[in-house]
Amino acid sequence: MNQNVPIPLPHGITLTIKREDLLHPHISGNKFRKLKYNVLEAKQQGKTALLTFGGAYSNHIAAAAAAGREYGFATIGIIRGDELADKIDTNPNLAFAAICGMHFKFVSREDYRRKTEPEFLDALSAEFSDCYILPEGGTNALAVKGCEEILTDADAGFTHICLAVGTGGTISGVINAALPHQQVVGFPALKNAALWDDIRTFATNNNWQLAEDFHFGGYGKVTAQLVTFINDFYDKTGIPLDPVYTGKMVFGVIELAHQGFFPPQSRVLLIHTGGLQGVEGMNLLLKKKHLPTIKTQKV
């Protein structure tokens, strides 16, 4: 669903947001897109379990757990940080995944860095037989194929497509699906010099760029300024934003519009990639840091 954003911008620039967060209550946004063809492939291969990787607050972990419950797979989460093993109940994200039936294997941060090494993956395949392995964040060729379906014929009139970027899979799909006259602008949620090359692995077009100045300090880093912006945006539009991905992207788009980045009369489409399930956990962290919290979001 596309929704107009009633935020006044200079030079006749208009904003519309594509509410991918409304695709599914638990497998929302780009996670739904990334998992779609991977789940079909796992079924075709006759696998009985999905195994994947993530941190304690990973939206991908929560979505994979929900997908397993919905589509009849056991799920295994390889979680970064072995100190978290006895803290599942205090972490909303892990608690939700556990309710969905996910089995956790907590590993040290050192071991977690081996998550793409063949030897490490072979050991996991031996330990958890008959599993279909999804990479961290869910990005692979099938995930990109699913993300190519985010844009539709109804989006042909937009001049710019903007979205948050994590591992690069979602923006790769959007780049591949964008029309020649459309410029895709990605807003990385983390500092990652290799991200350009990661995107080029899957992207087939060159009509894209990254706006790298709106990560607010890095992945998962949130400031009082960002929280205030998200709450104000929600008050004005009724549209909830998550603080790790889409909130930073929307902040960046509005800033760039005022800086003259977009030509006059630009029609800008913002992709809401979901992630709202992470708000509860983020608010717990914000309270511990004595920072303002994100208002209760209505999806």
Side-chain angles (χ1 to χ4, degrees):
M1 181 183 78
N2 288 353
Q3 183 175 345
N4 292 330
V5 180
I7 299 289
L9 293 176
H11 310 302
I13 298 168
T14 60
L15 302 181
T16 301
I17 191 162
K18 181 176 280 288
R19 296 293 304 276
E20 290 281 290
D21 58 304
L22 300 178
L23 286 175
H24 189 281
H26 302 300
I27 319 168
S28 71
N30 63 335
K31 304 309 178 189
F32 182 92
R33 304 291 188 178
K34 286 182 169 184
L35 287 166
K36 176 181 176 179
Y37 289 108
N38 276 291
V39 167
L40 291 174
E41 179 64 19
K43 286 189 174 183
Q44 185 161 345
Q45 291 183 17
K47 302 295 186 181
T48 60
L50 305 175
L51 182 148
T52 195
F53 306 82
Y57 293 95
S58 165
N59 292 326
H60 171 66
I61 287 291
R69 179 176 63 178
E70 181 148 331
Y71 300 116
F73 291 94
T75 51
I76 302 107
I78 310 303
I79 308 299
R80 180 181 65 247
D82 47 7
E83 76 279 3
L84 300 168
D86 60 351
K87 299 177 181 178
I88 294 173
D89 292 340
T90 63
N91 180 298
N93 203 62
L94 294 180
F96 171 77
I99 290 171
C100 291
M102 177 171 275
H103 170 78
F104 300 116
K105 179 180 176 68
F106 294 89
V107 299
S108 68
R109 282 163 170 75
E110 181 179 2
D111 283 342
Y112 190 83
R113 285 192 286 270
R114 301 178 56 216
K115 61 186 177 293
T116 60
E117 296 179 7
E119 297 84 357
F120 187 67
L121 295 174
D122 287 345
L124 289 174
S125 294
E127 182 177 356
F128 301 102
S129 59
D130 211 26
C131 65
Y132 181 88
I133 297 180
L134 287 162
E136 181 183 45
T139 291
N140 58 17
L142 290 174
V144 172
K145 178 182 177 181
C147 291
E148 289 173 357
E149 298 177 353
I150 291 174
L151 295 181
T152 69
D153 292 343
D155 302 320
F158 293 102
T159 59
H160 296 77
I161 314 295
C162 298
L163 69 160
V165 181
T167 55
T170 304
I171 191 173
S172 296
V174 170
I175 290 167
N176 294 346
L179 297 173
H181 71 275
Q182 295 177 319
Q183 182 73 14
V184 179
V185 186
F187 292 77
L190 67 165
K191 294 180 280 188
N192 180 5
L195 189 55
W196 292 81
D197 289 334
D198 292 341
I199 294 169
R200 291 188 184 104
T201 300
F202 297 106
T204 56
N205 296 320
N206 296 317
N207 56 334
W208 63 278
Q209 64 189 106
L210 297 179
E212 299 179 287
D213 296 330
F214 302 99
H215 52 66
F216 285 83
Y219 181 74
K221 299 295 179 63
V222 177
T223 67
Q225 180 191 23
L226 180 62
V227 173
T228 299
F229 169 81
I230 289 172
N231 287 340
D232 183 58
F233 185 84
Y234 180 63
D235 288 341
K236 291 177 178 177
T237 68
I239 301 171
L241 303 175
D242 86 286
V244 178
Y245 292 105
T246 304
K248 294 178 179 181
M249 180 269 293
V250 176
F251 179 95
V253 168
I254 293 174
E255 283 292 303
L256 289 180
H258 286 287
Q259 293 172 18
F261 175 86
F262 300 104
Q265 309 304 317
S266 291
R267 297 187 62 202
V268 183
L269 180 65
L270 316 177
I271 308 296
H272 194 317
T273 49
L276 296 174
Q277 66 267 35
V279 171
E280 183 181 358
M282 179 58 71
N283 274 344
L284 292 177
L285 294 177
L286 291 172
K287 287 178 181 178
K288 290 179 181 179
K289 296 179 180 180
H290 305 290
L291 291 172
T293 57
I294 298 165
K295 293 179 181 179
T296 301
Q297 307 290 312
K298 298 176 183 178
V299 181

